[in-house]
Amino acid sequence: MANINWLAVLVAALVYFFFGSLWYQALFSKIWARESGIKMDNPPKGAGLMQMMLKSFLGNLLAVIGLAFILHYAHGGDMMRSAKIGAIAGLAIAGGGLWVNYNWHGKSTLLWIIDTGYTMIGLALAGAVISMMG
């Protein structure tokens, strides 16, 4: 495998994960819930919530592992370059996939903007962390 700093990957995934709390709870909770068709009057609790959080973290970790490989093969660079590569990966790869999926599921463009914005900024943060710890 490539020469990857796995501690940096783990820290970057945690940063990405906790950024999700800010993004989806503090900034866009009502709009996101409305556009997703999710009723927030009975949120998951206990083991159900923990399972959803674990799955979300594993998704973040998978994305950050992919980003770490992209940065390695692109010969990394400084923090800003790594953040830009992360943002581009978030928009082009994740955003493109979400666009197709949301199109076929009849989801709104506003929901795509919120979800893709989270991915772009989250992976930009992750790229910066990987570069700083590299």
Side-chain angles (χ1 to χ4, degrees):
M1 289 182 84
N3 186 20
I4 301 294
N5 180 341
W6 294 103
L7 178 59
V9 168
L10 179 61
V11 171
L14 286 167
V15 167
Y16 186 10
F17 177 76
F18 285 111
F19 171 66
S21 295
L22 172 67
W23 189 261
Y24 286 109
Q25 290 179 358
L27 298 176
F28 295 107
S29 63
K30 291 179 183 172
I31 298 169
W32 179 80
R34 183 189 70 225
E35 295 298 311
S36 296
I38 294 173
K39 305 268 189 259
M40 296 302 282
D41 54 348
N42 190 19
K45 295 179 175 93
L49 177 61
M50 292 307 294
Q51 184 178 26
M52 291 180 76
M53 299 296 275
L54 176 61
K55 287 180 178 180
S56 293
F57 174 73
L58 292 174
N60 291 138
L61 181 61
L62 179 62
V64 172
I65 289 170
L67 177 60
F69 277 93
I70 290 169
L71 291 173
H72 173 75
Y73 291 120
H75 304 291
D78 65 15
M79 188 176 74
M80 186 56 73
R81 182 173 188 267
S82 296
K84 287 177 183 178
I85 291 170
I88 291 167
L91 175 61
I93 298 169
L98 287 174
W99 184 266
V100 172
N101 190 306
Y102 285 17
N103 174 54
W104 287 98
H105 289 274
K107 301 290 183 181
S108 73
T109 302
L110 180 55
L111 181 63
W112 177 82
I113 291 168
I114 293 169
D115 289 342
T116 300
Y118 164 66
T119 305
M120 282 180 60
I121 296 170
L123 287 175
L125 291 169
V129 169
I130 291 169
S131 176
M132 286 188 306
M133 293 182 68

